[in-house]
Amino acid sequence: MTPRKTRLVPIKFPTLVIAILAAMALLPLPALAQHAVITVYHHVSEDTPPSTSISPADFRAHLEYLQDNDFAVWRLDHLLDALKNQAGMPDKVAVLTFDDAYESIYTTAMPMLAEFDYPMTLFVSTQPVDDQQSGYLNWDQIREMSEAGHMIANHTINHPHLIDAQSGESEADRMARVRDEILTAEARIKEETGQNHKILAYPYGEFDQPILDLLDELDFIGVAQNSGAVGYHSDFKALPRFPLASIYASLDTASTKLNSLAFEIKEQTPRSPITDSRRPAVTLQLAGDFTVDQLGCYASGEPLNFEWIDREAVHFRIEPNEGTTFNSRRFGYICTARRGDGRYFWFNKFWVRSTPENAD
């Protein structure tokens, strides 16, 4: 008996279905989330210097806020991979970083993070750890943190002001010393923990153009301390972080920062933060999902003087008003713009004056 041949009948979609599918193909794809926030903490204690400390109660409040408001809390390397590859991300991403390897990070912060199942990134200055300096972690504790899934990265050997030359030191000598600070610390961290991420957190958040060029040469990512969100177009040699200590630890203000968004910085002139002026000017061109009417720039809470180059292109120059000067070693100009959903784009132009007699 000859088997019957199966006749394939083409499926005919109703005209209405075809029309709907065609219309859907023309709809714009939903925009990918492309923003995240990196925080920086030092001590989690009420018995350490207030300027770099957050109380355990306030730190717990931050963690509860992240949990209650649907944040994804990632390790820094996970975030950087997503940003560099412009991968899809959740709408709200936060990275929690700690600088200097103080003991309260292990004794107080780490148990809290374990309760929430949140990772951290610890930037280690290796010499205080090697010297078993009081108040710092030891390598056994840092290895335990590494084995628990936390990221361990580079904060130099001695935590120096990298931009300051030492007495009698040439520029070539300074840069040789900076190179050694970075590479020797990276080698010690790899030796002790097996981790080797080539990510440097600048001590005090300070860097200059030769240091940026050195990181390019060494293929390192640089992380600063000036406030602001990060995004696909961020400068990976000077990624901003929000310091959330002292007066900035309050959840009332920290929540706004945790929800902030990254401008696309189309121009920043000068790029380097180094200045010898007490009222420097900067030219910026910003882009993002905001209206120019919502843009404002401030220094110490006071509006800056705006000079529009091209308002429609959000291209402008800012400087302090006449008579306003800044005498501290480090200061910044903050630009924000409110988006329709209430979240703020946030950028901080960081400045530093190399004044060894006024280092801190």
Side-chain angles (χ1 to χ4, degrees):
M1 180 176 175
T2 304
R4 295 179 60 186
K5 292 182 179 180
T6 302
R7 182 166 174 260
L8 299 177
V9 180
I11 298 173
K12 295 182 179 180
F13 287 98
T15 303
L16 178 60
V17 173
I18 294 174
I20 291 172
L21 292 173
M24 290 175 65
L26 295 175
L27 291 174
L29 293 172
L32 290 173
Q34 52 180 290
H35 308 270
V37 166
I38 307 171
T39 68
V40 55
Y41 304 95
H42 292 79
H43 302 276
V44 184
S45 172
E46 294 180 314
D47 303 317
T48 45
S51 62
T52 53
S53 299
I54 183 172
S55 71
D58 281 339
F59 184 63
R60 178 174 290 278
H62 289 190
L63 300 182
E64 290 174 346
Y65 180 85
L66 294 171
Q67 182 182 68
D68 294 344
N69 289 275
D70 301 320
F71 279 80
V73 179
W74 286 359
R75 272 182 30 158
L76 181 58
D77 52 350
H78 184 185
L79 172 64
L80 296 180
D81 285 344
L83 293 179
K84 287 189 292 184
N85 295 309
Q86 298 195 6
M89 300 193 303
D91 185 48
K92 297 178 182 179
V93 177
V95 170
L96 310 177
T97 72
F98 292 81
D99 284 5
D100 302 335
Y102 293 120
E103 62 182 356
S104 65
I105 301 169
Y106 175 86
T107 59
T108 306
M110 192 167 84
M112 284 194 207
L113 290 164
E115 291 179 42
F116 291 82
D117 196 25
Y118 287 165
M120 76 167 102
T121 297
L122 175 68
F123 286 106
V124 177
S125 294
T126 57
Q127 197 63 57
V129 180
D130 284 336
D131 291 345
Q132 299 183 359
Q133 189 171 325
S134 176
Y136 285 81
L137 302 176
N138 59 50
W139 284 116
D140 286 339
Q141 291 167 322
I142 293 171
R143 276 191 294 273
E144 183 181 335
M145 296 171 72
S146 175
E147 290 163 4
H150 301 297
M151 178 178 162
I152 314 298
N154 192 331
H155 203 33
T156 70
I157 305 171
N158 297 297
H159 201 280
H161 289 275
L162 296 176
I163 67 170
D164 291 343
Q166 295 179 351
S167 179
E169 188 175 53
S170 69
E171 176 64 3
D173 290 341
R174 176 180 76 99
M175 291 310 301
R177 177 172 53 82
V178 170
R179 178 188 293 267
D180 182 62
E181 284 278 351
I182 296 169
L183 294 181
T184 300
E186 191 76 12
R188 283 293 292 128
I189 291 166
K190 182 178 180 180
E191 179 183 15
E192 294 289 349
T193 70
Q195 297 200 36
N196 178 215
H197 300 285
K198 300 183 76 172
I199 301 172
L200 173 71
Y202 299 115
Y204 309 100
E206 297 178 358
F207 57 92
D208 58 13
Q209 191 60 52
I211 293 172
L212 294 175
D213 295 340
L214 177 60
L215 261 63
D216 274 330
E217 177 193 335
L218 299 178
D219 195 27
F220 265 68
I221 289 171
V223 179
Q225 286 190 33
N226 51 296
S227 61
V230 296
Y232 290 163
H233 304 287
S234 291
D235 181 353
F236 285 85
K237 295 298 179 283
L239 292 168
R241 295 184 291 171
F242 278 108
L244 296 180
S246 186
I247 60 173
Y248 304 110
S250 168
L251 189 58
D252 289 342
T253 54
S255 59
T256 299
K257 297 172 181 178
L258 290 168
N259 283 283
S260 64
L261 308 164
F263 288 108
E264 180 182 351
I265 312 299
K266 290 182 171 292
E267 181 184 348
Q268 178 187 177
T269 306
R271 180 191 184 200
S272 171
I274 302 300
T275 183
D276 58 6
S277 173
R278 286 175 165 81
R279 51 184 314 273
V282 61
T283 298
L284 298 170
Q285 185 175 10
L286 308 178
D289 183 19
F290 63 92
T291 63
V292 70
D293 292 338
Q294 298 288 340
L295 178 67
C297 295
Y298 308 88
S300 297
E302 297 296 322
L304 291 163
N305 182 47
F306 253 85
E307 178 187 333
W308 284 107
I309 299 169
D310 185 337
R311 182 181 172 89
E312 185 176 348
V314 199
H315 192 195
F316 57 94
R317 181 177 182 272
I318 51 175
E319 64 180 347
N321 293 306
E322 197 66 37
T324 300
T325 59
F326 296 92
N327 298 317
S328 58
R329 180 184 172 96
R330 294 181 290 273
F331 56 99
Y333 303 162
I334 294 175
C335 294
T336 63
R338 191 174 186 271
R339 199 169 70 170
D341 60 1
R343 298 172 72 181
Y344 283 85
F345 288 87
W346 190 300
F347 169 75
N348 182 344
K349 174 56 185 178
F350 172 66
W351 298 106
V352 59
R353 296 168 53 242
S354 179
T355 53
E357 74 282 358
N358 182 26
D360 297 316

